[in-house]
Amino acid sequence: MRGDSGRMSGTMTLDELADNFSLFDDWEDRYRYIIDLGKKMTPLPDSAKVQANKVEGCISQVWLTSQIEGTGAQAVLTFQADSDAHIVRGLLAILLILFSGKTAQQIAAIDADHELAKLDLDQHISPNRRNGVASVVRVIQGTARRLLAA
């Protein structure tokens, strides 16, 4: 497997993740891999699992925090996320691979639907989970856009 999935700060790219996905013959194995990605994420401390960090629009509980280094378009955003559901933690790990450790300008420019289509997830996760992924993407890109507007 390519990439270091233990660190979700951008060491693995989505293209590498798609390559890893292609090694699996069926979606059961891909689901296990997604769950493993989530298990490798550092859990958020309980002190971060507060209403202010909760992502609305998710069936499962999802919390997202961000750290910002720098200002404006070149500010680098690092995200941490957690969920009470294993598969959702894995989906969050994928979103952190896509967004975390990038500049506000890069994050705002990412077409998440296009990038995630490389994994063919939309055909294999429930509509509720797709809505939850979209909610997390909105929060992440909203954070980047607010930095760009400041």
Side-chain angles (χ1 to χ4, degrees):
M1 302 267 163
R2 293 170 54 193
D4 173 8
S5 58
R7 286 185 54 224
M8 294 296 148
S9 61
T11 51
M12 181 190 296
T13 67
L14 203 69
D15 288 335
E16 289 169 336
L17 184 62
D19 287 348
N20 289 350
F21 258 48
S22 70
L23 299 174
F24 299 111
D25 292 329
D26 63 38
W27 268 91
E28 283 301 311
D29 290 334
R30 289 178 185 172
Y31 286 130
R32 278 193 283 282
Y33 180 67
I34 291 169
I35 289 168
D36 284 344
L37 286 175
K39 287 179 180 176
K40 291 176 182 175
M41 281 195 323
T42 304
L44 280 176
D46 287 340
S47 60
K49 294 180 181 178
V50 295
Q51 189 62 37
N53 294 333
K54 202 164 183 189
V55 178
E56 299 301 322
C58 298
I59 298 288
S60 303
Q61 293 196 81
V62 172
W63 300 273
L64 180 72
T65 63
S66 59
Q67 285 187 293
I68 302 165
E69 293 180 32
T71 58
Q74 296 309 308
V76 175
L77 287 85
T78 305
F79 297 95
Q80 275 193 289
D82 207 344
S83 175
D84 58 349
H86 292 298
I87 190 75
V88 175
R89 275 182 60 87
L91 293 171
L92 290 169
I94 291 169
L95 292 176
L96 296 188
I97 289 168
L98 182 58
F99 290 109
S100 195
K102 294 185 170 64
T103 66
Q105 191 167 2
Q106 289 170 320
I107 291 169
I110 291 172
D111 179 346
D113 290 337
H114 174 76
E115 292 298 319
L116 294 172
K118 294 176 183 178
L119 302 176
D120 203 25
L121 283 175
D122 57 332
Q123 302 300 313
H124 296 278
I125 60 174
S126 70
N128 286 335
R129 291 228 167 90
R130 280 197 302 274
N131 290 340
V133 166
S135 294
V136 174
V137 169
R138 267 194 304 279
V139 171
I140 288 172
Q141 289 190 315
T143 302
R145 288 188 182 109
R146 279 190 298 282
L147 285 172
L148 293 173

